[in-house]
Amino acid sequence: ADCPRTYFSRTCFSRTYFSCTDAPLVRLSITHPLYLSLMHDFNQIFDNHVLWVALVACITAQILKLVFEFAQHRSINPKVLVETGGMPSAHSALVTALACGVGQTIGWNTPAFAVTSVFAVIVMYDAAGVRQAAGKQAKVLNQILDELFQEHSEFNQDRLKELLGHTPVQVIVGSALGVVIAWLTAPVA
């Protein structure tokens, strides 16, 4: 149908689409070019081997936290699946698998591998350094609150979360897990 008014263009995913300013909203059919373009983009995301390797490493680390928790306390605590901290570091596993996956897929001497490696080091440093220190500070503050308000129960404050970061061993184990998973799932040449 012809449009009595002017057309405007919109650029989306490097493609330009033209629409009539007076045209009613139209539902996208499964054969519409915009729908097909979006589906193609989503399929590319789901076909991203490096992304899947990183996610598998992260999920594996979270499941292993449950195993370590059971071995240590002889009880299953599903909360460890969504909490920060603990053995092994899921953050470390994720970023190490990401960096290794990039190296395996597009090359060890590429800028993308360099960027993901630096990103991995920053995340692991943060997990073992900054977040670990914040957890220690939270523990001290909780002790102060307990001592200060022990006599006055009406000042019942929520406790701060103490397990925020990781020990260096937890970070190293998480990183090693990421490397192993990336190696086991390496694309066949």
Side-chain angles (χ1 to χ4, degrees), residues 21 34 39 73 82 88 92 96 116 128 131 135 141 143 157 163:
T21 55
L34 179 59
M39 286 296 99
H73 300 290
V82 293
S92 298
T96 304
T116 54
R131 289 193 303 134
L141 288 172
Q143 288 175 347
Q157 296 292 320
L163 187 59

Side-chain angles (χ1 to χ4, degrees), residues 37-115:
S37 172
L38 289 173
M39 286 296 99
H40 175 73
D41 293 338
F42 280 120
N43 284 336
Q44 285 183 328
I45 291 171
F46 291 126
D47 288 341
N48 188 330
H49 175 75
V50 175
L51 177 64
W52 283 111
V53 168
L55 291 175
V56 165
C58 183
I59 292 168
T60 303
Q62 287 299 101
I63 292 170
L64 284 175
K65 284 182 185 183
L66 193 62
V67 172
F68 280 109
E69 179 76 13
F70 180 76
Q72 187 177 12
H73 300 290
R74 295 288 181 224
S75 65
I76 294 177
N77 181 9
K79 287 183 181 179
V80 298
L81 294 173
V82 293
E83 290 179 341
T84 59
M87 172 70 95
S89 168
H91 291 93
S92 298
L94 183 132
V95 295
T96 304
L98 180 69
C100 289
V102 167
Q104 291 168 337
T105 304
I106 62 174
W108 300 100
N109 62 345
T110 61
F113 174 70
V115 168

Side-chain angles (χ1 to χ4, degrees), residues 89-173:
S89 168
H91 291 93
S92 298
L94 183 132
V95 295
T96 304
L98 180 69
C100 289
V102 167
Q104 291 168 337
T105 304
I106 62 174
W108 300 100
N109 62 345
T110 61
F113 174 70
V115 168
T116 54
S117 296
V118 170
F119 173 67
V121 169
I122 291 169
V123 168
M124 290 185 284
Y125 176 80
D126 178 66
V130 177
R131 289 193 303 134
Q132 181 73 9
K136 289 178 181 178
Q137 290 173 357
K139 187 174 187 175
V140 170
L141 288 172
N142 283 336
Q143 288 175 347
I144 291 171
L145 286 173
D146 289 344
E147 291 173 13
L148 207 67
F149 297 122
Q150 187 175 18
E151 299 167 4
H152 306 289
S153 60
E154 68 271 7
F155 295 115
N156 188 9
Q157 296 292 320
D158 291 337
R159 297 182 60 79
L160 298 173
K161 187 173 180 181
E162 295 177 12
L163 187 59
L164 296 173
H166 295 281
T167 65
V169 171
Q170 293 169 339
V171 170
I172 291 168
V173 170

